[in-house]
Amino acid sequence: MGFRLLPPNDAFYDLLTASAALSVDGSRELTALLAASTIERAAIRDRLQEIERAADDATHEIVDRLAHCLVPPMDRTDIHDLAIAIDRCVDAMEECADLVTRYRLDVLVRGIEEQVSVVARMADLTHEAMRTFVAEEFERLDVLSAH
């Protein structure tokens, strides 16, 4: 059985994965918004606003933990930049839903469905990449600690 000089700080992995999952949730709501009637869009916008607030909370938690962490599990700048990038994507989704709802747009720009499907795919890939990265990182740490 090996030993570690510093305790593991797994919270970053969990928070980044949760943040990526929120981007998936946001992209699903945005996709639903496109198919919804003008009347149904307000409820979808409200759900997206809740997701956006949760994403903000996750980002603040990551940044706060980063500020108080002596040795983060990976590069400090990479953690910060990834958290901010995911949050900005969710912010943009929420802003789009707000504008479509606020201005009661009956007809949306041609090609918007394809753009939203790209955003949804990006969110799915980001979430999957975080889950894969976390699994590989834990496996690597287990191997190191066994020696």
Side-chain angles (χ1 to χ4, degrees), residues 81-103:
D81 290 350
L82 181 58
I84 297 299
I86 293 170
D87 185 53
R88 285 184 180 157
C89 289
V90 177
D91 288 347
M93 291 178 213
E94 186 272 330
E95 184 178 354
C96 178
D98 185 54
L99 291 171
V100 167
T101 305
R102 179 180 299 161
Y103 294 111

Side-chain angles (χ1 to χ4, degrees), residues 11-25 51 54-55 58-59 62 86 90 127 130-131 134:
F12 288 110
Y13 298 124
D14 294 339
L15 288 166
L16 286 168
T17 302
S19 186
L22 288 167
S23 74
V24 171
D25 294 343
I51 292 167
T59 302
I62 292 167
I86 293 170
V90 177
H127 184 240
M130 282 308 308
R131 290 179 26 189
V134 169

Side-chain angles (χ1 to χ4, degrees), residues 5-69:
L5 184 58
L6 297 169
N9 197 339
D10 304 336
F12 288 110
Y13 298 124
D14 294 339
L15 288 166
L16 286 168
T17 302
S19 186
L22 288 167
S23 74
V24 171
D25 294 343
S27 70
R28 288 190 180 134
E29 292 296 335
L30 191 57
T31 301
L33 183 91
L34 297 180
S37 70
T38 306
I39 296 169
E40 297 169 319
R41 288 180 179 163
I44 295 170
R45 180 211 48 218
D46 292 346
R47 289 193 301 268
L48 235 166
Q49 285 175 339
E50 290 175 20
I51 292 167
E52 191 273 331
R53 281 191 288 274
D56 283 346
D57 291 345
T59 302
H60 292 141
E61 179 72 19
I62 292 167
V63 171
D64 287 346
R65 284 181 182 259
L66 201 53
H68 295 96
C69 181

Side-chain angles (χ1 to χ4, degrees), residues 130-147:
M130 282 308 308
R131 290 179 26 189
T132 302
F133 174 75
V134 169
E136 289 174 359
E137 188 66 10
F138 283 141
E139 184 178 311
R140 184 183 69 81
L141 291 174
D142 287 342
V143 168
L144 289 175
S145 65
H147 289 86

